[in-house]
Amino acid sequence: MKNRIIKIIANRPGIILITFSLLFLTAFGMTGLIDFEKDIFKALPLHNRTFQVLAHTLKTSSGQNRIYVLLKNPAHPDTLIPSAEKFSNDLRGIVIKGQPAFAQVTFRKLDAVSLNDTEELLIQFLNTPELFLTDQDLQRLEDMLSSTDALEKELKKSLTYFAMPGAEQLAHIAAIDPLNMRQFMVEKLSTLHGGLVFDPGPFLMSSDKQSLLIIATPADSVQHRDDAVTLLDQIDGVRKTYPDLAIGITGGYAVAAQEESLIRGDILGCVIGSALGIAALFYLVYRNAMVLIFVLLPLGAGLQLALGTMAVIFDRIHILATAFATVILGLGIDFAIHIYDRYTAERQSGRSKVLAIEKSIFKTGSAVLACGLTTLAAFFGLSFADNPILLQIGWLVVLGLFFCLVSTIWVLPAWMVWIEPYSSKWLIRPSKKLCMDKVGQFVNAYPKRVLAVSLIFFAVSLLGIMKLEFETDPLSMKPKGIEAVDVQEDLFTSFGAKGEYVLISWQAEDIKELWIKGLSIDREMEGLHQSGIVSSWTSLSKFSSPDPLRIQEIDMEDIGRMFNTYGLNLKDFTHQYRFLEALSGTRASAAANSVNTVRNRNCEGLSRFPEMFHRFFICENNSIQGITWSLAAGPEEAVIVQKKVMGTFPDYIVVSPRLAINEFAVEARKELRITLGIAVLLVIIILLFFLRSMSSLLLVLLPTAMGLLSTAGLMGWMGIRLNVFNFIVLPMLVGIGVDDGIHVYKRYQETGNVGETLQSTGVSIFLTSLTTICGFGSLALAKYHIFVSMGLLATFGVSSCFIFTITVLAPILKLHQRHEPISTSR
């Protein structure tokens, strides 16, 4: 079999290259099927109820699809309202693809309740009042409806709107609701402003009158990413025309667009930077750009085949997972370096093609295979993770490295054999030894000194582990330098939205139980509110009633006569008339009948509620989860809420961004410990099969173990915290770091001389370490600090493993040789 493989490569390289080209073209076509996932919530393990509730509430919050404009004019705060009017008109004038960019723009409280469907929401309220009112509202409502003077006052106000120039919108609303019953609805819905505190007036003004808020809802036609970027650019252009105003842009819409732009830019920049860094490194070492053709061929092929396969396995690939394409660049090229370097060395020493292929594939290639399998094992451990991002990262890198490995061992020798007759200049060895010849001589001459210095460095770095901490603050993981995030914090400060959101969730069998449990939480929240632990809270049971509401003191005839006095007919105001009928009991509301008839068909009954109320429940497959929103006074109070609620209601869950991040961190650490354990176990099994000696296994693993521990220590000394993202790098370093030890040990078995080993293989592992740093470590140059910490951890880890391979493994081999020579095979 061995001779047959060598014969095919040596005599028929064209067949291998043609077959591979067809496979490559197929994979290239498959990449057209890739659909990228940009939703950050898809990075959460949504099988977990905590993250399911958090993702649902964030998505159903109306702020996610809005743009918030924060206006300030410290010198002349009295000009904020006219400035806001002018700025709002400018926003309304923005057009994208021939269509208005915004569905609505406002800085008035009434309009801010529902920007897209104010009229629709009002009509729903008037036709189904129990969806917006509770028993606590009945007394005030009854007092108003039983007072002809109060009703007449509201009717006169509506008639004034009809005659007022420039009040067309108010007149239209008044024509639907001439008795101003909407004040009860607006009062309820105003509590959905996300804890923001406004001045008592009609505008979205801060209490100190120093800030004004404009809320703009983009039209449905500009929800695409490219349109969103264009819209934000146009808003920025409008902003520049107001040099006297301090104008900030934020909101879920702006944050999402700016975060995606940052991440995309980082990924693209890292991939390009990685490729350029590797190219520059190769030119510096080989002094011939043509060498890149050989080493980049399996690299490009492996990445292309991996992406094509991913397009078949997954419906959508998360954009965060694609950042690890740089890992394939950095690691995949390592395989090619060793095979290329060995083949050219053998050919330049005068050996035949057949013997050069044999040495490349079955000597160096066996070490490359072992290194490739250990690296694959480390990343394969991620495929056992429940987290969807870790799963995709694992599959992407495993597939990429697998195809790079196959391409390197099978296709690269055939490619070199095929090209050699045309130009031997293409096959050259490194023109620089990268000082590894001198390093080899020094280690060979003074192994004890080198080992002693290395152990001292290891001991000092190890002390830093005592300082190493795990990041638990969710705010620290936010992208830095994003204007929308900074403005958001300023907005919360200006409008007094202090505290921390805490969500309480419970499961219910039906709609009736949903209300019963919701009322129990309301009573619990009332006690916490009175004690100052909870600033406010909202829930479905505070907004709505499960059953129809009745007011006995409504005199329909008396109200009708009042309308007649002004030449109006009450029945002509259809929705107002239905509202009075429903409350008086002369007509059952549609929603009441619906809820009663579908009480056992839970999701259908809850679908009757306004969309903005969907934040208070999750209903899937007729399974209901209720959600109460509360605003705790601070992080410590949020913990108190969690303990209090879960102590009273053990089967309920309590969620907040901070608590969720903590839980996510705990789960991630648990998963990654398992992943790390799986990676170590698989690496040990592969190395035992490859080395067939426990002592050899311990020698090869020693530099990796010391490298990982010293890396953790260096992070502690530098104050770099571990988080749920950079922690992913640790199991990967197990597979990456052991490669250097394998190559040095196997080459030493061939040469029997440490100095000669480091002068030859030492150059290759130094070069592969640098390419790995160019690939994986390029993340350290990103703007997103999460990527930066991952890049730094990878850089420290790869560097440490290389250093300890040279300064610990090589000296031990030398000292071991003096006492008991290791068997070699040349």
Side-chain angles (χ1 to χ4, degrees), residues 721-766:
R721 294 185 174 187
L722 284 173
N723 56 54
V724 294
F725 296 102
N726 62 26
F727 198 61
I728 300 171
V729 178
L730 291 180
M732 299 175 186
L733 288 176
V734 174
I736 297 171
V738 79
D739 294 358
D740 294 344
I742 293 173
H743 283 293
V744 168
Y745 186 79
K746 291 300 290 183
R747 188 63 169 170
Y748 176 77
Q749 284 187 315
E750 289 188 47
T751 65
N753 185 288
V754 169
E756 185 180 339
T757 296
L758 294 183
Q759 289 178 44
S760 56
T761 300
V763 176
S764 297
I765 65 171
F766 188 22

Side-chain angles (χ1 to χ4, degrees), residues 22 142 160 226 324 468 479 538 605 662:
L22 293 175
E142 183 176 352
T160 303
D226 293 338
F324 283 77
L468 187 62
T538 55
N662 289 342

